[in-house]
Amino acid sequence: MDIEEHYDFKLDGSCNVVYGFDMGRAISVFKNLLSDSVKETPQFNLVKDTTLNFYAALPDSTVKKLTKEEVNMAKGSSLSIKMDLKKSIMKMSISHQSKNAADLQYYLQHLSKISMNSQLDAVTKNNQQARGFDAQQLVAGQDYYSYEVTPNKFYRIIDKTKFNAFLKKTQSTLVMAKAMLIDMPYKVILNFAKPVKKVNNPKAIVSADRKRVTLITNMDDAIKDPTVMNLKIDF
């Protein structure tokens, strides 16, 4: 699964965040394992290309557990799904427009608590080609960061204890992905309204005008050294 995070910071302090998940390469591998009869089922031939309010997509069981603030956050977010299994297309993204730094920090710290399992279950786990490869664990389980966001800084530090717990929980999925030669690239792109002053991660690429920071890594690198995911940006 390819994971991309996009942050677009505006001069007024607002920020548009998009989490994108592309499972197309995994689906192309699983397709080779399927019988022709499965490929002819209605589930396999289902095509979706839709965007809906994230809150409206949540099941009642999840909504009942949300605080008032989390409800407002979900209502201010959008969920997009694009799927055509015959063409090995399976993409999901969730976007949110934060009003200011405090709003962004709250969103980043609470998004993982609003489980995306139900949406992923509808488009992955109930389809034959995705059985055994529980991608929803990889999406909904990413609660291993701590954030500090202000009008002049964006700090994200990985919590090694939480990350190790995540690895333990998703071990079978990660092993299966590696056995099938499915790597898991991870990209973070941050666009700023003004030049950044300092970036602490040596792997991060800063654009010539210093308004864009890009971090590209993968799950293998993160397992070896979780700190490759850390970002401290002053701007």
Side-chain angles (χ1 to χ4, degrees):
M1 180 165 59
D2 294 50
I3 302 173
E4 282 198 19
E5 292 180 43
H6 285 255
Y7 297 81
D8 289 304
F9 292 87
K10 310 299 181 183
L11 276 173
D12 63 2
S14 64
C15 181
N16 187 53
V17 191
V18 180
Y19 280 86
F21 307 92
D22 186 344
M23 291 164 270
R25 287 194 293 166
I27 296 303
S28 66
V29 173
F30 284 114
K31 273 173 53 178
N32 295 328
L33 307 176
L34 297 180
S35 64
D36 290 339
S37 61
V38 172
K39 292 179 182 178
E40 296 304 317
T41 61
Q43 292 92 339
F44 186 82
N45 286 277
L46 181 66
V47 176
K48 286 187 177 183
D49 189 354
T50 184
T51 298
L52 60 160
N53 183 270
F54 187 49
Y55 179 80
L58 294 173
D60 291 341
S61 57
T62 299
V63 170
K64 290 177 182 177
K65 299 175 184 177
L66 301 182
T67 64
K68 181 180 178 181
E69 290 78 11
E70 288 168 343
V71 166
N72 290 334
M73 185 183 81
K75 287 181 176 179
S77 303
S78 299
L79 176 71
S80 296
I81 300 171
K82 187 172 184 178
M83 182 175 73
D84 187 339
L85 301 181
K86 293 187 77 170
K87 296 181 180 179
S88 297
I89 296 173
M90 186 180 285
K91 297 180 180 181
M92 296 184 67
S93 66
I94 180 168
S95 59
H96 178 78
Q97 181 75 39
S98 63
K99 300 185 293 291
N100 50 46
D103 186 26
L104 176 59
Q105 178 162 324
Y106 182 89
Y107 173 76
L108 296 173
Q109 289 178 333
H110 289 81
L111 177 62
S112 61
K113 295 180 182 179
I114 302 178
S115 175
M116 291 177 69
N117 286 6
S118 57
Q119 290 76 41
L120 281 163
D121 188 61
V123 295
T124 60
K125 205 175 181 185
N126 286 343
N127 288 301
Q128 292 292 324
Q129 82 288 347
R131 289 191 183 278
F133 188 81
D134 196 359
Q136 58 184 298
Q137 289 183 335
L138 301 178
V139 177
Q142 297 186 67
D143 63 346
Y144 39 69
Y145 294 117
S146 61
Y147 292 90
E148 183 183 355
V149 184
T150 75
N152 298 302
K153 68 171 62 172
F154 178 90
Y155 288 8
R156 183 184 74 180
I157 305 298
I158 198 163
D159 184 316
K160 292 183 181 179
T161 301
K162 288 185 177 180
F163 184 64
N164 288 333
F166 163 78
L167 293 178
K168 188 175 181 179
K169 181 181 178 182
T170 58
Q171 184 176 16
S172 60
T173 302
L174 295 171
V175 169
M176 181 180 292
K178 196 165 187 177
M180 292 184 172
L181 304 179
I182 302 171
D183 60 352
M184 290 180 220
Y186 177 74
K187 181 186 288 186
V188 187
I189 299 172
L190 304 102
N191 294 309
F192 296 90
K194 53 187 178 181
V196 301
K197 298 175 181 176
K198 185 179 179 182
V199 181
N200 82 320
N201 190 321
K203 286 183 173 290
I205 301 168
V206 182
S207 64
D209 63 2
R210 299 193 67 82
K211 289 186 177 182
R212 170 177 285 202
V213 177
T214 305
L215 175 63
I216 302 173
T217 183
N218 57 55
M219 189 57 74
D220 274 349
D221 288 345
I223 291 171
K224 294 172 187 173
D225 179 12
T227 62
V228 299
M229 313 280 265
N230 290 347
L231 275 174
K232 284 187 175 183
I233 303 172
D234 294 286
F235 56 95

